[in-house]
Each structure stands twice: as structure tokens, then as C-alpha cells.
């Protein structure tokens, strides 16, 4: 299944708002079994959340975001995953 990184603008995101967004996301994911949220990273400095998902398509990511009320600035499909252990 393709893997994606989603960039979301969330300036001034509070901890409570992040928790609420996470709960909405999980509720929608229960209705969309073809999508899996892997992890997210929050940058308060940049006002962004970067989320990693497995999904059948970028359009399914957009539909998930629409249903969950989450912003989407950019969706990038991952072509290759590398990590430091590969080079030791």
C-alpha cells in the first residue's frame, strides 16, 4: 500500500486542539478501513503537523481529512524509505 506524508498548517495549535483532532481522525479512520495513521509530528515553531499514513490514494487521504475536519496543505507519496541502519 502506498505511504504518504501530509503537511497541515495549524498555527497556534493547543494541546487540547491536537487531542481533539486526533480523536476525530481515529473516529473517521474506523469508517475508512483502507487507511492507517502511522504517526504525526507537531512543529509549534512552524505551525505545522506532518502526518504519516498508509492509504490507497492521495484522494482517500483528502476524504479522510474532509470528514475529520483537518487541513491539508500538501500530500506527498513516499517513493523510498531509508534509515541509518541501512548504511552501517
Amino acid at each position: 500500500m502506498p505511504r504518504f506524508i501530509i503537511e497541515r498548517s495549524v498555527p497556534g495549535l493547543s494541546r487540547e486542539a491536537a487531542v481533539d483532532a486526533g480523536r476525530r481522525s481515529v473516529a473517521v479512520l474506523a469508517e475508512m478501513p483502507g487507511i492507517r495513521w502511522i504517526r504525526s509530528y507537531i512543529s509549534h515553531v512552524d505551525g505545522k503537523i506532518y502526518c504519516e499514513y498508509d492509504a490507497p490514494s492521495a484522494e482517500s487521504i483528502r476524504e479522510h481529512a474532509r470528514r475529520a475536519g483537518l487541513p491539508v496543505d500538501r500530500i506527498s507519496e513516499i517513493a523510498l524509505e531509508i534509515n541509518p541502519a541501512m548504511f552501517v
Side-chain angles (χ1 to χ4, degrees):
M1 179 168 306
R3 182 157 292 181
F4 297 90
I5 298 293
I6 301 95
E7 179 181 332
R8 307 177 193 278
S9 290
V10 290
L13 182 72
S14 68
R15 180 175 175 82
E16 294 78 21
V19 168
D20 182 54
R23 287 186 177 136
R24 289 193 319 269
S25 177
V26 168
V28 172
L29 288 171
E31 302 168 358
M32 300 180 76
I35 301 175
R36 184 170 72 99
W37 175 19
I38 299 165
R39 69 182 57 86
S40 295
Y41 302 94
I42 298 174
S43 170
H44 290 298
V45 171
D46 295 329
K48 300 278 187 177
I49 298 178
Y50 301 94
C51 302
E52 185 178 357
Y53 278 72
D54 286 339
S57 66
E59 186 52 42
S60 63
I61 297 283
R62 284 187 189 87
E63 178 61 18
H64 167 265
R66 185 191 66 75
R67 291 185 194 183
L70 301 171
V72 173
D73 299 338
R74 182 180 304 187
I75 300 172
S76 299
E77 186 171 350
I78 304 305
L80 177 66
E81 182 177 329
I82 61 173
N83 65 64
M86 297 170 63
F87 304 102
V88 177

